[in-house]
Amino acid sequence: MFLFDDYECIRQSWSVRQMRLVILDSYDDVSLWAAKYVRRRILDFNPGPDRYFTLGLPTGSTPLGMYKKLIEFHNAGKLCFKYVKTFNMDEYVGLQRNHPESYHTFMWQNFFKHIDIQPENAHILDGNAPDTVKECDEFENKIKESGGIELFIGGIGPDGHIAFNEPGSSLVSRTRVKTLNQDTIQANARFFDGEISKVPTEALTVGVGTVMDAREVMILITGAHKSFALHKAIEEGINHMWTVSAFQQHPKTIFICDEDATLELRVKTVKYFNGLMHVHNKLVEDPPEK
Ligand code: GLP
């Protein structure tokens, strides 16, 4: 039986500095587990008018399932976003805000319009700002003014990039303009009718350092095509050619992946983290009645 004291114990283990890897069977399981984790963190934080919970958010196909689950929780009255502020990781340069593939459109269509977030609390970089350097500096300032990010959620590219921190990006980088590399442009062409020439070549992106400053980081990795990146992320040294590997040094990082994404991991790594699942699963449970 799960007792209140056990729950307190698990809650305290959150403050233990460590990198966690949660391995689940499928993409759907990853989506549900991630959404439950986000819900639990927001509820435990107990946000209110003087105390907002600040979330960093990604785009891409990976987090879509998690957003759907969070919307379900909201619709079922189990999660409120009234006192949540969000900061998105990145945005293309030069796409109109209402372009179907802009990250503004993505976030409003797939998440924000379905929940009770106050529009002024949903921050997304403006890729059409006349002064992009100023836009990036102001974004960093807004994060600071909000008290920093409580939980930054990210996805990765098959080359191990986080946000648009392409291979070779500085691991202490801040929000800035980045030129996209060919792999990323090719990977994202699927959203632009498969036409590489339609994919923007620049983006505004938070830096690795910006995400590292969050009090907690959660990274979602699914699919066999990202298995080598997951191996580089957690089994080898920190390397600016695989920018997601920087999070090994973050005091509280949780990687959530499906079975397919573990294909390049060592058997002993998988066994070790699978053996911890009973502990990890407690992190998403509701507290028992006192
Ligand atoms: C883009 C985004 C990243 C995202 C990545 C993976 O490059 N800038 O933030 O993590 O795509 O996207 P997907 O989840 O669709 O594989």
Side-chain angles (χ1 to χ4, degrees), residues 164 166 177-181 185 201-203:
F164 272 127
E166 301 286 30
V177 186
K178 276 298 278 186
T179 302
L180 306 187
N181 77 14
I185 292 174
T201 54
E202 284 185 332

Side-chain angles (χ1 to χ4, degrees), residues 232-280:
K232 286 285 186 182
I234 68 168
E235 289 189 324
E236 290 198 350
I238 292 162
N239 184 334
H240 68 307
M241 297 310 285
W242 298 84
T243 52
V244 66
S245 66
F247 295 94
Q248 289 175 27
Q249 262 194 346
H250 189 282
K252 252 174 156 184
T253 296
I254 185 159
F255 288 91
I256 310 179
C257 72
D258 64 359
E259 278 277 336
D260 287 348
T262 67
L263 285 175
E264 298 283 350
L265 293 185
R266 295 191 183 102
V267 174
K268 71 176 175 186
T269 304
V270 173
K271 279 197 167 166
Y272 172 74
F273 285 108
N274 274 340
L276 288 172
M277 273 315 285
H278 65 290
V279 179
H280 293 154

Side-chain angles (χ1 to χ4, degrees), residues 58-63 89-90 92 103 154-158 161-164 184 188 190-191 225-226:
T59 52
S61 47
T62 313
M89 296 194 119
D90 42 18
Y92 289 115
Y103 288 172
I156 65 164
H161 74 250
I162 179 144
F164 272 127
T184 301
N188 289 354
R190 69 193 195 275
F191 300 117
H225 64 304
K226 298 209 179 149

Side-chain angles (χ1 to χ4, degrees), residues 29-47:
D29 294 335
V30 168
S31 302
L32 178 60
W33 205 97
K36 281 182 170 177
Y37 191 80
V38 174
R39 172 176 172 269
R40 209 42 279 144
R41 298 294 290 113
I42 295 175
L43 293 182
D44 283 348
F45 186 89
N46 195 19

Side-chain angles (χ1 to χ4, degrees), residues 77-145:
K78 292 179 178 171
L79 187 57
C80 165
F81 292 89
K82 196 168 168 202
Y83 300 118
V84 173
K85 287 186 187 177
T86 62
F87 287 88
N88 261 80
M89 296 194 119
D90 42 18
E91 176 59 288
Y92 289 115
V93 168
L95 275 195
Q96 286 312 306
R97 186 180 281 240
N98 61 0
H99 185 284
E101 294 306 333
S102 80
Y103 288 172
H104 273 84
T105 304
F106 177 99
M107 288 310 297
W108 280 96
Q109 291 307 320
N110 293 306
F111 192 40
F112 295 147
K113 79 171 185 188
H114 306 284
I115 58 171
D116 58 346
I117 193 162
Q118 311 291 309
E120 66 274 19
N121 290 333
H123 303 278
I124 305 179
L125 284 152
D126 178 1
N128 293 297
D131 183 343
T132 46
V133 174
K134 188 163 166 258
E135 172 67 13
C136 293
D137 291 347
E138 283 176 1
F139 197 74
E140 288 274 343
N141 286 337
K142 273 186 239 158
I143 293 176
K144 267 196 210 110
E145 283 160 16

